[in-house]
Amino acid sequence: MSAFSPASEVLLRHSDDFLESRVLFAGDMQDDLPARLETAASRAHTQQFHHWQVLSKPMGERAQYGLTADAELVGDSDTLIYYWPKNKPEAQFQLMNLLSLLPVGSDVFVVGENRSGVRSAEQMLEEYCPLTKIDSARRCGLYHGRLEAKPTFDKDAWWNEYQLDELTIKTLPGVFSRDGLDVGSDLLLATLSPHTKGKVLDVGCGAGVLAAVLASHSPKVRLTLCDVSAPAVEASRATLAANGFEGEAFASNVYSEVKGRFDMIISNPPFHDGLQTSFEAAQTLIRGAVKHLNNGGELRIVANAFLPYPNLLDEMFGNHEVLAQTGRFKVYRAVMGRNAKR
């Protein structure tokens, strides 16, 4: 990656401040600045698998992907640069984890776009690390403080759950559908027939809602779930376990870690990466599906009605149909056949 995000461009205005610092980068890193900024030492932690893929190439083991950072990764870091995400509970979870591992006296920088709500970092951290705004540019704010008191952090205390009919859905901060079933997923689920059989892949699984509901009325399905988000992968595993369902859940950038073919691929694909509108994941989902479906297998997705997916479905599969729709959403089905691009 070569283009820097607005948040990274603001940080570059202060690049001289980091020359002697041992920096831990974390949060919603949208580019490879953590690998390129000149520092005494740089490490990075991310909950996003696709961000880790970018950073691990130049940084190797100094870049870590997972639900939480650990003391080994933090090492002797004396500075935190945190990219604020759009989700406040996600930011709180990550910051409490990171600040619990850094030594008192560490410099803490928080940077993010104003529309993401980065201003709330001041109130969130005032008990541990009072922040002062030191720059404003590119519609972003940059805040600095020093760690005065370390928070206690217990990741088990951050779990939440809700009931969906007879199912228990386990969730974590930052997971899509954290507080309840979203309208799009509900519409997709309404199109799934009971007694579905075969191998089913849920791409962008979130809290595992789609897979859990499918398994509840189709016990013969064999489930595979994947997501770029570490909290989503952990939540999906917990949801399956809480309801006694078998299935595999793992981190993958769409199909990057997926092996084999399936009888059905289901998804409520995102069209944002952080705050930015991005159709890349959904386009990759559609284009790559033909390499991961058996003959007669189907791709079934729900998407905002305005998104330009019908033409791409026809291009890749030679067919598509709309199974259900509302004013906002459509559920598309495309079947793997002779006309599909292989």
Side-chain angles (χ1 to χ4, degrees):
M1 301 174 71
S2 56
F4 289 127
S5 67
S8 286
E9 290 182 351
V10 174
L11 285 170
L12 284 169
R13 291 155 57 101
H14 301 263
S15 56
D16 289 348
D17 295 341
F18 305 115
L19 292 173
E20 304 301 322
S21 300
R22 297 184 298 276
V23 180
L24 173 63
F25 293 86
D28 190 24
M29 297 172 284
Q30 297 282 331
D31 54 45
D32 63 352
L33 181 66
R36 298 171 63 180
L37 188 67
E38 188 174 351
T39 66
S42 292
R43 306 175 188 212
H45 176 268
T46 178
Q47 292 185 337
Q48 301 297 317
F49 189 75
H50 57 313
H51 295 166
W52 174 82
Q53 286 179 309
V54 171
L55 295 172
S56 64
K57 293 177 182 177
M59 298 182 74
E61 293 183 355
R62 293 182 294 115
Q64 183 187 82
Y65 163 82
L67 178 61
T68 56
D70 57 35
E72 183 178 357
L73 175 72
V74 173
D76 61 355
S77 300
D78 58 18
T79 300
L80 171 66
I81 295 179
Y82 183 78
Y83 287 78
W84 187 267
K86 66 178 182 179
N87 185 285
K88 184 176 177 180
E90 176 185 348
Q92 189 170 23
F93 177 93
Q94 293 174 356
L95 283 166
M96 294 304 104
N97 169 217
L98 297 164
L99 296 182
S100 73
L101 297 170
L102 286 163
V104 170
S106 294
D107 285 295
V108 176
F109 294 85
V110 179
V111 64
E113 294 189 43
N114 294 328
R115 61 180 175 149
S116 71
V118 66
R119 296 181 186 90
S120 60
E122 291 182 277
Q123 182 178 3
M124 182 183 294
L125 298 185
E126 62 182 352
E127 181 181 350
Y128 311 103
C129 177
L131 296 176
T132 301
K133 192 173 189 178
I134 61 172
D135 200 356
S136 181
R138 298 300 312 275
R139 299 179 180 176
C140 292
L142 175 62
Y143 299 80
H144 171 258
R146 283 194 172 83
L147 185 61
E148 296 180 355
K150 297 169 63 165
T152 57
F153 177 78
D154 176 8
K155 67 178 181 181
D156 293 335
W158 293 80
W159 282 97
N160 198 2
E161 64 180 52
Y162 61 89
Q163 297 300 123
L164 181 62
D165 296 327
E166 301 299 318
L167 298 173
T168 298
I169 309 300
K170 306 286 285 188
T171 65
L172 283 165
V175 176
F176 184 65
S177 292
R178 180 184 179 224
D179 299 316
L181 184 64
D182 63 283
V183 176
S185 294
D186 190 35
L187 187 65
L188 174 58
L189 286 171
T191 71
L192 294 174
S193 302
H195 312 299
T196 299
K197 299 179 181 179
K199 296 173 63 178
V200 177
L201 173 65
D202 181 357
V203 179
C205 55
V209 177
L210 295 180
V213 173
L214 182 59
S216 71
H217 61 58
S218 299
K220 292 187 178 181
V221 295
R222 287 170 285 167
L223 295 172
T224 301
L225 296 75
C226 64
D227 203 298
V228 294
S229 161
V233 172
E234 294 294 334
S236 287
R237 289 171 178 165
T239 294
L240 292 177
N243 296 285
F245 300 141
E246 294 186 3
E248 181 184 14
F250 55 87
S252 182
N253 182 4
V254 193
Y255 300 112
S256 68
E257 311 305 306
V258 174
K259 297 177 174 61
R261 291 182 179 269
F262 299 84
D263 300 300
M264 179 184 287
I265 297 174
I266 57 175
S267 184
N268 182 353
F271 62 97
H272 289 94
D273 187 0
L275 288 168
Q276 310 307 318
T277 299
S278 174
F279 306 131
E280 183 178 351
Q283 290 173 340
T284 301
L285 171 75
I286 295 170
R287 292 185 184 280
V290 295
K291 297 179 181 178
H292 291 284
L293 281 170
N294 293 318
N295 280 332
E298 67 169 89
L299 171 67
R300 193 175 300 200
I301 64 173
V302 62
N304 286 69
F306 69 87
L307 296 175
Y309 298 150
N311 290 342
L312 182 55
L313 289 166
D314 287 341
E315 176 189 340
M316 299 307 301
F317 287 87
N319 70 88
H320 86 274
E321 61 179 310
V322 177
L323 296 179
Q325 66 182 83
T326 65
R328 291 180 56 199
F329 296 100
K330 291 183 178 180
V331 177
Y332 297 102
R333 177 178 184 260
V335 179
M336 185 73 173
R338 289 176 296 178
N339 295 324
K341 286 188 176 181
R342 298 174 186 270

